[in-house]
Amino acid sequence: MTPNPEADNLNLNSPSKSHALTEWVKEVALLTRPDTVVWCDGSEAERDRLTKEAVAAGILIPLNQKKRPGCYLHRSNPNDVARTEQLTFVCTDTREEAGPTNNWADPKETYAKLRGWLEGSMRGRTMYVVPYVMGPAESPFSKVGVEVTDSIYVVLNMRIMTRMGAIAIAQLGAGNDFNRGIHCTLDLNPERRLICHFPKDNMIISVGSGYGGNALLSKKCFALRIASALGRDEGWLAEHMLILGLTSPEGETTYIAAAFPSACGKTNLAMLTPPASLKGWKVFTVGDDIAWIRVGPDGGLWAVNPENGYFGVAPGTSAKSNLNAMKMVEHDTIFTNVAMTPDGDVWWEGMDAPPPDGLLDWQGHAWSKTSGNKAAHPNSRFTTPMRNNPAWSPHSDDPSGVPISAIIFGGRRASTVPLVLESTDWTHGVFMGATMGSETTAAASGAVGVLRRDPMAMLPFCGYNIGDYFAHWLKMRGAIKKPPRIFMVNWFRKDAAGNFIWPGFGENLRVLKWMLDRIHGRVGGRETPVGIAPNDADLDLKGLDLTPAAVREALAVRPEEWTAELESTAKFFEEIGPTLPKDLKERREKILATLNAGPSEGRIAAGR
C-alpha cells in the first residue's frame, strides 16, 4: 500500500505515539473508506457500549442473565462456520519458502487482488482499530499486533482473547514493530474469501469471513503462522500447544507443553480435573492452545501462553469431560453457533443433559430429536476469559513464562499408537512429532474421520516450509542445555469391538504421572523399537476399572502395524521433498531396521 496525500484530510484521532501505526491506519482507512474510525481502548465502558450496539444490531443475542450473567449468543452465516484451509495462503517470494503443505500465492499478485476487493469495502461501516499484546505485558516473549476490522463481533472476541487496547498502545510506544492485520467481512461470499499471510512483511489480510479462526487474526494467523516464521528467524518456537502445571501431593510442580490437533481433547487436558482416586494432585492451566517457547537463562525451555482467553469447541464439553470449562462459561462468555433453550440458556451435543423441548438450533430454527441434524454446529464455540477458569494459573501472567519439563505429541488414532511412548532422544522426539497423525474433525472444513499426517499439530499453521520447520526443531537442540523429555500419547485407541480402551478425561492424569516419574527418575519402562512404554505395573491404576488385558492392549506395540506406519511415513516424507532433514530419514530407517530384526523389547532402569 502506498501513501495517499488525502490521508492528511482524514481525522483519525490516533492515541498512538507510533507514526508508523498512525500512517498505516490512515492508508487502510483511505482504501476501505469507512464512515467512522474507532480506536479501541479495551475499557469496561467500551465493552458495555459495543455489546449494546451488537445486541441492537442483532449480532449478539442476550442469554438468560440470571443463569448466565454477561453471556451472549452469536449465529454466524451458515457458509462461514470453520477455518477454511483451502482458502488460507502463505505469500512468500517463492513457492519453495511456503513449502508443500501450505497453499502458496505470489505476494505482489495477492496484494493487488486483495486491494481491489478492499477498495471502498467499509463504506457505510465502522472501522475498528484493535491494538493488542500477545503474551504477558512487558514480557520479552510478547509481541504487539494491530487488527483493523469492520466486525463488532471480532472486536468483542479480541477483547477476551488478547490483552487489548491502551496496554498495547503503551507497549508499542513510538516503535514500528507490530503485526499488521486487515480484516473485512465484505459480503461473506465464499467466492470472495481469502486468508493471506505475508511473513516477510509481518502482515495478515483476511477477507470474506467472520468466523473465529479466519477473523480473530491474533489467533492462528499471527500467533502461529506469522509467529512460527518469526521464531525461525529469531531462534524460538511458536507452537500449537497447551501448557499445564501439575502439582503433586508432595508440592512438586512440573510444567508440560502438549500438541494435539484441534478437537482432539487439548482443552480437556489443559483443564483436567484429577480423579478422586488420585487425591492431592492439582492441575493448573497456563494455556490451552498456543505456546511461545524460548531457551531460558538456565538453558532449559521456557514457555508463555500468548493468549488471554479460550476459544474452545463446545460439543463434547461436559461436566465429565471438562468440569472446569463448564464452570468458566457460566458467565461473561460469547457462544457461537450453539443451540438455545426456551429459557435463554445454551445446549450442545455431549453436554450430558438431554435436549429440552422447544430448542432452537444453531441457525435459530425450531429443533427436535427427529430433526435429523445437530442442534449445535459440530464446530460451535465459546469465547471466555482465561481468568474464568477455576484451574487458571497466575503464572499465565508471568513475564518469564514457565519452565517446560516435558513435551507431548498426541493425535486421534484407533490403532497402532499405544497409550504412551517416550522418545529415546531429542531427534527421536522430533521424529515422533513430525510423523504424528490424527483423524480429521469438524474444526476444519472437509471430510471427517480421514487419517492425515499433522506434524506437531502444525500442518495448517506452520507459516513456512515444513521441512525447514523440522530442521529448526532439530537445530534448537544445540541451544538447549536442559532438554525436556518428549512423549507421544493416544487416548483414542480402540479394541476389536470398536470401543475406546482407555477411559480418558481426568484419568489421563495417570499417564502424566508416569511421565513425571520418568522425568524425576522414579520409574522404569519397557524399551520397544518405537520408544519407551510403561511396564504393565508402572501406571498407577488404583481405583480404575480396567482389566490387565485391556491395559496390555492399550500399551501394545505390534511390529506389523508399525511397519505399515513407517511405510506411510515414507510417503509423507517424499511429499515434503528435498527440505526434509536427513536426520529424520535416517531415524525412520533405523526404527524400521529394528522392527525387521525381530523381538527386542526389554525393561529399562528408572534413571534412563
Side-chain angles (χ1 to χ4, degrees):
M1 298 178 187
T2 55
N4 189 314
E6 295 178 37
D8 293 334
N9 300 323
L10 189 63
N11 182 17
L12 292 178
N13 295 317
S14 170
S16 176
K17 295 179 180 178
S18 169
H19 178 73
L21 173 57
T22 301
E23 288 302 307
W24 177 70
V25 172
K26 282 183 181 179
E27 291 173 22
V28 178
L30 281 166
L31 174 64
T32 58
R33 295 293 178 179
D35 285 9
T36 310
V37 177
V38 173
W39 290 74
C40 297
D41 60 19
S43 65
E44 293 290 329
E46 177 183 74
R47 182 191 65 175
D48 294 343
R49 173 175 58 82
L50 295 180
T51 299
K52 288 177 182 177
E53 290 180 18
V55 169
I59 295 166
L60 293 183
I61 302 168
L63 294 169
N64 187 320
Q65 295 300 295
K66 290 184 178 179
K67 282 192 170 185
R68 294 191 187 268
C71 292
Y72 298 85
L73 171 65
H74 172 74
R75 293 179 179 135
S76 70
N77 189 301
N79 74 30
D80 189 28
V81 293
R83 282 186 287 106
T84 48
E85 293 175 22
Q86 72 278 13
L87 300 175
T88 301
F89 289 84
V90 172
C91 306
T92 49
D93 289 340
T94 66
R95 187 183 296 271
E96 289 70 29
E97 290 174 82
T101 60
N102 282 315
N103 298 317
W104 175 81
D106 178 83
K108 292 182 180 178
E109 293 176 3
T110 306
Y111 272 133
K113 182 176 187 176
L114 292 170
R115 186 181 180 88
W117 286 3
L118 286 167
E119 191 167 359
S121 60
M122 294 190 190
R123 282 195 176 94
R125 305 181 186 186
T126 297
M127 185 179 93
Y128 301 94
V129 182
V130 184
Y132 60 92
V133 177
M134 297 300 282
E138 304 302 331
S139 167
F141 287 79
S142 65
K143 301 280 186 182
V144 173
V146 180
E147 175 172 358
V148 294
T149 177
D150 62 351
S151 168
I152 198 169
Y153 167 79
V154 165
V155 176
L156 290 168
N157 275 272
M158 288 289 286
R159 189 184 188 281
I160 294 172
M161 292 302 300
T162 69
R163 296 160 175 85
M164 184 267 270
I167 188 173
I169 292 293
Q171 182 156 325
L172 180 62
N176 63 1
D177 183 13
F178 64 95
N179 177 263
R180 293 150 171 81
I182 302 173
H183 169 250
C184 183
T185 54
L186 300 181
D187 53 3
L188 296 179
N189 179 358
E191 298 299 318
R192 291 206 308 159
R193 179 175 296 163
L194 287 174
I195 299 89
C196 299
H197 307 73
F198 303 86
K200 190 175 180 180
D201 301 330
N202 200 4
M203 169 82 81
I204 306 157
I205 303 179
S206 172
V207 295
S209 172
Y211 168 77
N214 301 331
L216 308 181
L217 302 187
S218 66
K219 196 162 179 58
K220 309 299 190 186
C221 295
F222 179 23
L224 289 179
R225 295 191 190 97
I226 294 294
S228 62
L230 293 174
R232 171 201 57 192
D233 297 339
E234 298 172 3
W236 53 280
L237 296 164
E239 299 299 323
H240 189 205
M241 290 182 177
L242 64 87
I243 311 168
L244 62 82
L246 289 167
T247 301
S248 70
E250 295 74 32
E252 176 185 66
T253 298
T254 307
Y255 292 96
I256 290 171
F260 295 83
S262 296
C264 282
K266 189 161 76 277
T267 301
N268 293 348
L269 183 63
M271 302 174 193
L272 182 147
T273 301
S277 55
L278 292 179
K279 291 181 180 179
W281 283 88
K282 296 178 181 178
V283 176
F284 298 97
T285 313
V286 178
D288 80 318
D289 193 43
I290 297 172
W292 286 0
I293 305 172
R294 296 177 187 264
V295 180
D298 64 349
L301 288 183
W302 289 69
V304 298
N305 168 20
E307 299 189 290
N308 201 34
Y310 308 117
F311 185 63
V313 176
T317 304
S318 67
K320 177 184 176 183
S321 69
N322 195 335
L323 180 60
N324 287 321
M326 292 300 287
K327 289 181 177 179
M328 74 186 184
V329 299
E330 290 176 353
H331 62 97
D332 300 305
T333 297
I334 297 174
F335 295 92
T336 300
N337 294 338
V338 300
M340 187 167 72
T341 66
D343 63 347
D345 201 359
V346 293
W347 188 89
W348 51 76
E349 282 74 12
M351 192 187 258
D352 283 351
D357 294 333
L359 201 65
L360 294 180
D361 72 9
W362 64 278
Q363 297 183 68
H365 303 146
W367 184 91
S368 71
K369 295 176 184 178
T370 60
S371 295
N373 52 17
K374 301 286 188 182
H377 189 274
N379 195 39
S380 56
R381 297 278 176 157
F382 54 78
T383 319
T384 198
M386 67 179 183
R387 285 168 187 77
N388 278 17
N389 179 7
W392 172 71
S393 169
H395 288 288
S396 301
D397 283 329
D398 193 326
S400 300
V402 295
I404 300 300
S405 296
I407 292 172
I408 303 171
F409 296 116
R412 182 182 290 268
R413 298 295 300 269
S415 64
T416 309
V417 179
L419 177 63
V420 58
L421 281 173
E422 181 186 349
S423 70
T424 54
D425 54 49
W426 181 264
T427 300
H428 183 212
V430 175
F431 177 85
M432 282 179 165
T435 58
M436 64 185 269
S438 188
E439 295 166 8
T440 52
T441 71
S445 56
V448 175
V450 178
L451 180 67
R452 73 169 182 177
R453 297 287 160 189
D454 194 353
M456 280 81 165
M458 284 286 284
L459 186 75
F461 309 123
C462 185
Y464 62 102
N465 190 301
I466 197 75
D468 294 334
Y469 168 75
F470 296 155
H472 179 50
W473 263 85
L474 293 169
K475 183 181 177 183
M476 286 289 290
R477 176 63 184 89
I480 305 170
K481 296 177 183 177
K482 295 164 52 180
R485 301 282 186 105
I486 301 179
F487 299 86
M488 175 174 280
V489 299
N490 177 25
W491 320 127
F492 303 98
R493 189 159 178 165
K494 294 182 178 180
D495 59 22
N499 300 313
F500 291 119
I501 301 171
W502 184 250
F505 306 124
E507 305 298 349
N508 293 337
L509 178 59
R510 300 174 189 274
V511 178
L512 300 182
K513 184 175 180 291
W514 178 76
M515 294 179 187
L516 298 192
D517 287 339
R518 287 288 301 152
I519 291 166
H520 299 299
R522 293 190 290 258
V523 71
R526 186 177 92 251
E527 197 161 12
T528 80
V530 294
I532 301 165
N535 296 300
D536 294 357
D538 289 337
L539 290 174
D540 185 343
L541 301 176
K542 65 177 181 288
L544 189 61
D545 184 17
L546 204 63
T547 67
V551 175
R552 286 193 297 273
E553 180 64 22
L555 297 173
V557 172
R558 295 192 172 89
E560 67 277 10
E561 290 182 339
W562 277 96
T563 299
E565 176 77 6
L566 290 168
E567 289 174 357
S568 172
T569 297
K571 294 177 182 176
F572 175 61
F573 281 178
E574 288 173 8
E575 293 170 6
I576 294 174
T579 61
L580 179 77
K582 181 182 176 183
D583 286 353
L584 296 187
K585 277 186 180 180
E586 291 177 348
R587 184 53 60 105
R588 177 196 162 274
E589 292 164 2
K590 180 180 177 181
I591 295 171
L592 187 60
T594 306
L595 284 166
N596 291 336
S600 61
E601 295 195 4
R603 291 178 179 270
I604 60 173
R608 287 183 58 193

